Amino acid sequence: MAAVLSAVPKPLPIDLPYMPLLKQPLPAGRPREFYIMHNRRLKAMRLAIALLDSGVLRAEQANNRKIRSTAELVGVHPPSDITCHMVRALMRYSR
């Protein structure tokens, strides 16, 4: 009987609100596009993780409206269409 009780999976809590890590300065001297793309990738990763935590497991389920509402939920600025595309790409290729 005790073995049956220990085999039951416990639900994982979603850790909201999102608390970002301490930021470190990026190296100087790169082109502006590098910094824009770097920050866009970080935002896309944060949103992909938040979507996966909320139960959106496939890229087809993550439309732009869902991604933007998740961004509002975790407290980041609304993403552009390019960032939404990157979020879906991260979700697609993480498998």
Side-chain angles (χ1 to χ4, degrees):
M1 181 83 170
V4 174
L5 293 177
S6 65
V8 177
K10 295 180 183 177
L12 297 174
I14 296 176
D15 53 341
L16 291 178
Y18 170 76
M19 299 301 291
L21 298 173
L22 294 175
K23 294 183 179 179
Q24 297 178 351
L26 292 173
R30 302 270 176 111
R32 181 169 167 33
E33 293 80 24
F34 168 81
Y35 301 106
I36 292 171
M37 188 58 70
H38 174 79
N39 290 329
R40 185 171 280 155
R41 284 184 187 128
L42 288 178
K43 181 187 264 188
M45 283 190 287
R46 287 186 194 114
L47 291 172
I49 290 167
L51 284 165
L52 291 169
D53 285 345
S54 69
V56 178
L57 300 177
R58 295 177 33 177
E60 296 80 30
Q61 297 170 326
N63 56 17
N64 288 358
R65 181 179 297 161
K66 180 71 175 175
I67 294 171
R68 290 187 175 117
S69 66
T70 303
E72 184 179 331
L73 180 68
V74 297
V76 297
H77 288 285
S80 65
D81 290 340
I82 296 170
T83 307
C84 290
H85 179 76
M86 289 177 76
V87 169
R88 284 188 290 276
L90 281 171
M91 292 176 72
R92 194 173 296 121
Y93 295 119
S94 67
R95 295 182 172 253

